[in-house]
Amino acid sequence: MQDKPTWFRQRRYLHFDEPLNFQKATTLVTNPEAVAAHSFWPLIRFQIHTTKIKQDKTTGQLDCHPKDREISYAAHGDSLIFSFYAEALSKLYEAVLGQQGLGDCVLAFRSLGKNNIDFAKAAFDEISARGDCVAVALDVTKFFDNIDHAQLKQRWMRLLNTSSLPRDHYAVFKALTKFSFVDRNDCFAALGVSVHNPRGGGRHRLCSPADFKQDVRAAGLVKVNQHKCGIPQGTPISALLSNIYMLDFDAAAHGFAKRQGGLYMRYCDDILFIMPTSLAEKTKKFCIAEVGKLKLTINPAKTDTCSFVKKGAAQACNQPLQYLGFLFDGKRILIRSAAFAKFSNRMKRGVSLAKQTMRSRNKAKNAKGAYERQLYQRKILARYSHLGKRNFLRYGYTAAQMMNSKEIRRQLRPLWGRLQTAIAKER
């Protein structure tokens, strides 16, 4: 049996349409005329509420403040179209990276067989090898929200080597720039669908087309992006388009760093230059100017200049470099303390929720005269201890091994005790 192409992935979430089988999906996505005439459904949008924990550079205290990120997911047919065109554009994009020598500069959203640990280690190894140097780390403000549509279209056409977008590509472009969306909670409430159990009652789609027109569109729940900038985060093609948008900047930044005897790397909106010490200010000014050409801005609050100096056999710095979740001071590699605070808060909430569930179920058992059950710990241990396969601790131990960091292992040791303490608490 022949393997399905990588663009085909049958997702099971509820949307305004039903999942397509492979035959129907192929008929749709491989027909340019069908794509050009396709009516894209509104995206469903929801917010991820997180607590941003940041260490104050002067006091060393951890500051906590809420941070919301909007995520959108497309209807099943729309998502398959996006995936198919992302795969086609990705091949062209990778060819350009190869031609321009940018393959080692662009790190995110590519199939490189590597992860954040590899990229951070490569940066730290480069700094160690150089001895005296400066690391300039910069961050683009609200990257996806500010991607300019006209410039994105130009780069898309250039990738296709055309003077205008073909009708099918234009339909995809329009769906991602003049996109429409509905708020998930408002939409589900209007349709009488539970956010916590959306598939209850055997639903295979959110509603019929007639109910969509009456209960969603006529109710004014559909919003349209009226700006000349911004693409949604969460679709199968959004990440690739963000890289395509940055092509000119990547080429300019790589050329600038290479001419000055430095190194340039970018992970999505995180930009890093490793340069000769005297070029810190010149590098920042260059980056701010080049990013400005894309109608983007650099966040000054997230700009760090870390100077490294070789002193004998050791390397010292004026402040540790924060990069992709790690800290490097020339001698030690650590995981940012904010990550541990975030994990501990998440662990405590998870254990508390498990206890609430246990009490609720035991109350029902008592009513039936059945025996109470003790706290079910398998999921807790899988999520919050070294016994799990994919969690923060496993990531930390992998990082400690790859980076040969005793300090990271030392950071991880107290977490088992904290978990046991949270489990042992009465409430």
Side-chain angles (χ1 to χ4, degrees), residues 113-274:
K114 298 180 180 180
N115 59 25
N116 286 16
I117 302 172
D118 297 286
F119 302 138
K121 184 178 184 300
F124 302 154
D125 286 348
E126 179 71 21
I127 292 170
S128 295
R130 285 175 176 260
D132 293 355
C133 63
V134 64
V136 181
L138 310 101
D139 183 271
V140 179
T141 303
K142 294 186 177 180
F143 182 31
F144 283 85
D145 292 340
N146 290 309
I147 289 177
D148 180 70
H149 296 165
Q151 293 199 43
L152 176 62
K153 187 179 180 182
Q154 288 175 358
R155 287 160 183 72
W156 198 325
M157 290 188 297
R158 192 193 312 161
L159 207 59
L160 296 175
N161 195 25
T162 58
S163 58
S164 62
L165 286 179
R167 290 182 63 245
D168 55 326
H169 281 264
Y170 181 74
V172 176
F173 168 79
K174 189 176 179 182
L176 291 156
T177 51
K178 293 296 181 183
F179 59 91
S180 60
F181 62 95
V182 298
D183 178 80
R184 181 184 63 181
N185 292 346
D186 293 343
C187 177
F188 280 28
L191 296 171
V193 177
S194 169
V195 174
H196 304 292
N197 184 28
R199 301 185 71 86
R203 284 190 188 86
H204 297 289
R205 66 188 298 173
L206 275 176
C207 61
S208 66
D211 288 339
F212 170 79
K213 291 179 182 178
Q214 177 180 321
D215 299 327
V216 180
R217 188 174 293 282
L221 298 183
V222 179
K223 310 297 182 185
V224 179
N225 179 36
Q226 302 289 356
H227 305 290
K228 295 182 179 181
C229 62
I231 62 173
Q233 291 189 64
T235 79
I237 197 173
S238 299
L240 173 65
L241 293 183
S242 73
N243 272 346
I244 291 173
Y245 187 76
M246 296 294 285
L247 258 175
D248 289 356
F249 174 84
D250 291 330
H254 172 63
F256 170 81
K258 189 175 181 180
R259 288 191 301 273
Q260 307 292 340
L263 183 72
Y264 159 74
M265 293 185 288
R266 180 179 63 82
Y267 190 98
C268 189
D269 55 357
D270 288 329
I271 298 168
L272 179 66
F273 290 90
I274 301 172

Side-chain angles (χ1 to χ4, degrees), residues 342-353:
K342 187 175 180 180
F343 171 77
S344 293
N345 290 336
R346 190 166 65 245
M347 177 265 290
K348 290 174 183 177
R349 287 196 301 268
V351 173
S352 176
L353 180 60

Side-chain angles (χ1 to χ4, degrees), residues 233-357:
Q233 291 189 64
T235 79
I237 197 173
S238 299
L240 173 65
L241 293 183
S242 73
N243 272 346
I244 291 173
Y245 187 76
M246 296 294 285
L247 258 175
D248 289 356
F249 174 84
D250 291 330
H254 172 63
F256 170 81
K258 189 175 181 180
R259 288 191 301 273
Q260 307 292 340
L263 183 72
Y264 159 74
M265 293 185 288
R266 180 179 63 82
Y267 190 98
C268 189
D269 55 357
D270 288 329
I271 298 168
L272 179 66
F273 290 90
I274 301 172
M275 305 291 288
T277 304
S278 62
L279 297 178
E281 287 304 314
K282 183 176 181 180
T283 300
K284 281 193 285 187
K285 289 178 181 178
F286 165 84
C287 189
I288 292 169
E290 288 298 320
V291 162
K293 295 177 183 178
L294 304 178
K295 297 187 178 181
L296 300 173
T297 57
I298 293 295
N299 186 347
K302 293 185 178 181
T303 298
D304 289 321
T305 304
C306 308
S307 297
F308 292 85
V309 179
K310 196 69 175 286
K311 295 183 177 180
Q315 192 178 36
C317 66
N318 65 326
Q319 66 173 18
L321 171 64
Q322 297 188 36
Y323 188 58
L324 301 183
F326 296 93
L327 285 173
F328 179 61
D329 64 3
K331 299 180 289 292
R332 304 173 303 161
I333 301 174
L334 299 101
I335 296 174
R336 292 177 60 203
S337 57
F340 286 91
K342 187 175 180 180
F343 171 77
S344 293
N345 290 336
R346 190 166 65 245
M347 177 265 290
K348 290 174 183 177
R349 287 196 301 268
V351 173
S352 176
L353 180 60
K355 289 181 178 179
Q356 292 175 32
T357 304

Side-chain angles (χ1 to χ4, degrees), residues 374-386:
Q374 296 299 312
L375 181 64
Y376 191 62
Q377 295 189 27
R378 180 178 292 179
K379 285 187 178 180
I380 292 175
L381 295 176
R383 290 175 180 172
Y384 307 115
S385 83
H386 61 282

